Amino acid sequence: MTQTDVLAIVSFSAGAYRFSVEAQQINALLDESPEAMVAVEDLLGLPLVAAAQRRCLRVGEALIGVSEPVELRSLSIDQLYPLPELVARRISIEGVRALALEENSVLLLLDLRALLAQRIASR
Amino acid sequence: MEEHLTTLDDILARKRQSGDDVVNVDEPAVKLVFFSLGEQWYAFYGETIREVLADHEVYYLPGCPASMEGVINVRGDIESVIRLRTVLGLPEVIVAASSRILLGCASAMRSGIRVDCVEEVIDVLQSAIQAPPHTLPEHLRPLVLGIVMYRDRPVHLLDLARIFTDYREGLR
């Protein structure tokens, strides 16, 4: 398999679900929880799971709090799909760009940069 | 002339028989896919149904309405699966072994449609499709193209294009 056959992603938990984002959108992974950190659940419109251990992703200038486990890994392009039209129109989670099929589940791929830009534009 | 005593049943049976013998070869027929949701039978035009799928693993998707069961992988294509029961306002039931997913295509949209059971795929004379009755529940009226009698039951012929369009717009 060549390098172009895989997509590097960072996967994490938010609410009760697993999500991922293209690794190239993430500038750093921090252990601390700075005050300026925005919970990813706020961006996605999901309830916060209080007990989960938190990590901080730096996306551009923004600091986004996500729940463990946080993993850097790769997905084969064969696992990646655009959202079917009816899903794209009806899914209530914002910023979902694609999905990946894993063994027994679906992993949603988010566009965090677009979500942040949207949030700034709506202020 | 010699009279032959007969019965009304006999006369009616013969009349029905003679009616069956007359086939208008010019009359157009359409293929319909008959399926059931509980006791009620429905149909889609066959041209809108690409496949009938059994035993397909459905992947749950977070953040979708209850009417969206999830997605399926059909030979490398990912398709949504909507629960027709929920879309039509019928109570949910546990998915049984007889349940099937119809892979539908209409209005340039494609999706799986969960039904309880696929009963038959047959050709029906166009003239056998009657206008929907005024007694249809209001929420069904925009979705029902007509009624066809099949095995002595009224079958609602559904408009898949309208179902998809309404679903996409969040109306169902």
Side-chain angles (χ1 to χ4, degrees), chain A residues 17 19 81-82 84-87 89-93 99 101-106 108, chain B residues 59-65 68 71 73 76 78 80 109 111 164 167-170 172:
Chain A
Y17 309 112
F19 293 93
Y81 301 92
E85 183 174 358
L86 294 182
V87 173
R89 293 294 290 259
R90 296 300 301 273
I91 195 163
S92 61
I93 299 171
L99 59 85
L101 284 192
E102 300 203 288
E103 207 166 306
N104 292 311
S105 63
V106 167
L108 295 177
Chain B
Y59 296 87
Y60 169 76
L61 276 183
C64 289
M68 176 74 71
V71 291
N73 183 354
I78 296 297
S80 53
M109 282 177 276
S111 179
F164 281 174
Y167 196 82
R168 182 183 60 191
E169 302 307 321
R172 299 193 179 271

Side-chain angles (χ1 to χ4, degrees), chain B residues 19-87:
Chain B
D20 289 347
D21 290 342
V22 178
V23 175
N24 184 350
V25 291
D26 295 329
E27 194 173 349
V30 287
K31 195 174 291 299
L32 298 183
V33 178
F34 288 89
F35 60 92
S36 59
L37 297 173
E39 294 300 307
Q40 179 63 54
W41 285 31
Y42 300 88
F44 284 127
Y45 278 119
E47 66 193 20
T48 63
I49 302 300
R50 294 216 169 152
E51 276 186 70
V52 179
L53 305 169
D55 300 327
H56 246 71
E57 183 177 5
V58 181
Y59 296 87
Y60 169 76
L61 276 183
C64 289
S67 52
M68 176 74 71
E69 188 174 335
V71 291
I72 51 174
N73 183 354
V74 185
R75 294 181 295 279
D77 287 324
I78 296 297
E79 311 288 358
S80 53
V81 178
I82 60 174
R83 295 187 172 103
L84 192 56
R85 272 182 166 275
T86 315
V87 171

Side-chain angles (χ1 to χ4, degrees), chain B residues 12 22 26 28-29 66 68 76 82 93 97 106 112 116-118 127 134 138 140 145-146 164 167-169 172:
Chain B
L12 293 177
V22 178
D26 295 329
M68 176 74 71
I82 60 174
V93 293
D116 289 359
C117 187
V118 173
S127 61
H134 299 296
E138 196 157 343
L140 282 182
L145 294 168
F164 281 174
Y167 196 82
R168 182 183 60 191
E169 302 307 321
R172 299 193 179 271

Side-chain angles (χ1 to χ4, degrees), chain A residues 42-67:
Chain A
D42 276 353
L43 292 174
L44 303 179
L46 293 172
L48 191 66
V49 177
Q53 195 183 338
R54 304 291 277 179
R55 301 289 295 277
C56 179
L57 303 177
R58 189 158 67 78
V59 179
E61 298 300 310
L63 299 170
I64 299 173
V66 298
S67 293

